[in-house]
């Protein structure tokens, strides 16, 4: 089985490729000649993932999967959510995003939050989605230097270290993306066996 993974992010691509079984090969956007940004204009994480997968399927004809992730903070009405990448503006600046998040969380006792990833898959005529959630807390200040995005201020449930204090391997065992990806892989394995 050959599938396009609709991302320009090389780190994500490597992470996903390393988790896929041998029978499933992923093709890059570069391989199919898609160098442009893929539109992400939906108002939900699910909508964005599906929009990206559908865009490639419709434009290039390949079976495709795509992911979208957001950080949902309870005390902020689930913001930044689908707007996580551009929370502090179009520059998509991780440090500015964290600064704004910590400022908006000042004085809030309820620090509950969750990361949510959706993998959407367009296979043949059908589309599917797979969800991964990890709950945790927003810390009061940055801790750790590993990872990316909001990792330095996200303390996963039952853990004593933020994502940014874990190695990539440790994070990838428990992360929202890993949970959603395992569901996608289980589904693809069952399709390959059919
Ligand atoms: P994307 O949908 O994977 O591009 O993620 C949207 C935004 O969520 C990114 O710009 C990051 O700021 C944040 N994000 C996604 N995944 C993670 C993660 O695993 N840790 C921390 N932040 C993340």
């Amino acid at each position: 089985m050959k599938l396009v993974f609709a991302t320009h992010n090389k780190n994500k691509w490597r992470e996903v490729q390393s988790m896929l079984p041998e029978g499933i090969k992923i093709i890059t956007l570069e391989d199919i000649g898609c160098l442009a940004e893929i539109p992400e204009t939906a108002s939900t994480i699910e909508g964005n993932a599906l929009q990206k997968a559908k865009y490639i399927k419709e434009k290039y004809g390949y079976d495709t999967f795509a992911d979208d992730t957001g950080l949902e903070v309870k005390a902020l009405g689930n913001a930044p959510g689908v707007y996580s990448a551009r929370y502090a503006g179009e520059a998509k600046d991780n440090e500015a995003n964290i600064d704004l998040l910590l400022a908006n969380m000042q004085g809030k006792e309820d620090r509950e939050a969750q990361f949510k990833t959706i993998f959407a898959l367009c296979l043949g005529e059908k589309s599917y989605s797979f969800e991964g959630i990890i709950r945790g807390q927003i810390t009061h200040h940055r801790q750790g230097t590993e990872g990316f995005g909001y990792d330095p201020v996200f303390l996963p449930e039952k853990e004593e270290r933020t994502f940014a204090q874990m190695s990539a391997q440790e994070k990838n065992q428990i992360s929202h993306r890993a949970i959603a990806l395992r569901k996608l892989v289980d589904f693809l394995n069952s399709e390959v066996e059919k």
Side-chain angles (χ1 to χ4, degrees):
M1 186 188 279
K2 275 190 182 175
L3 296 168
V4 173
F5 179 20
T7 182
H8 288 294
N9 182 326
K10 292 245 157 46
N11 293 320
K12 264 193 204 171
W13 198 88
R14 268 194 289 272
E15 181 186 315
V16 168
Q17 174 76 85
S18 73
M19 279 187 72
L20 286 175
E22 274 199 7
I24 300 166
K25 291 274 166 279
I26 51 177
I27 314 168
T28 64
L29 290 174
E30 286 72 26
D31 289 338
I32 63 167
C34 173
L35 303 176
E37 286 254 329
I38 304 171
E40 298 184 51
T41 52
S43 59
T44 61
I45 296 167
E46 293 81 355
N48 263 349
L50 199 58
Q51 183 185 21
K52 288 187 268 187
K54 271 193 174 154
Y55 176 86
I56 298 298
K57 174 81 187 176
E58 282 166 12
K59 205 161 172 196
Y60 296 88
Y62 291 94
D63 289 333
T64 301
F65 65 94
D67 73 323
D68 200 62
T69 296
L71 176 67
E72 299 179 330
V73 183
K74 199 171 155 201
L76 303 178
N78 287 338
V82 71
Y83 305 108
S84 294
R86 51 200 81 201
Y87 190 36
E90 284 303 316
K92 296 190 184 176
D93 179 336
N94 281 328
E95 296 309 315
N97 286 342
I98 293 181
D99 286 342
L100 181 61
L101 176 64
L102 291 179
N104 288 342
M105 288 300 283
Q106 248 178 16
K108 305 255 192 251
E109 273 181 25
D110 182 354
R111 318 263 325 166
E112 272 179 63
Q114 64 181 26
F115 272 116
K116 188 203 266 186
T117 290
I118 301 286
F119 272 92
L121 169 70
C122 291
L123 189 66
E125 298 303 307
K126 291 190 182 160
S127 55
Y128 307 85
S129 67
F130 306 89
E131 181 182 82
I133 286 179
I134 182 160
R135 297 197 170 82
Q137 302 274 326
I138 302 300
T139 55
H140 289 270
H141 49 85
R142 291 170 170 82
Q143 292 169 54
T145 52
E146 299 295 316
F148 66 98
Y150 297 91
D151 281 347
V153 292
F154 185 79
L155 178 69
E157 208 171 55
K158 301 194 198 111
E159 299 288 337
E160 284 168 9
R161 292 170 303 158
T162 66
F163 268 159
Q165 292 173 302
M166 296 179 184
S167 67
Q169 224 182 358
E170 284 174 303
K171 180 186 164 189
N172 290 344
Q173 302 269 337
I174 61 169
S175 80
H176 43 297
R177 203 164 10 262
I179 295 167
L181 185 58
R182 274 196 287 269
K183 291 181 187 171
L184 170 68
V185 169
D186 286 348
F187 177 80
L188 291 173
N189 273 332
S190 68
E191 288 293 300
V192 168
E193 281 161 16
K194 269 185 192 170

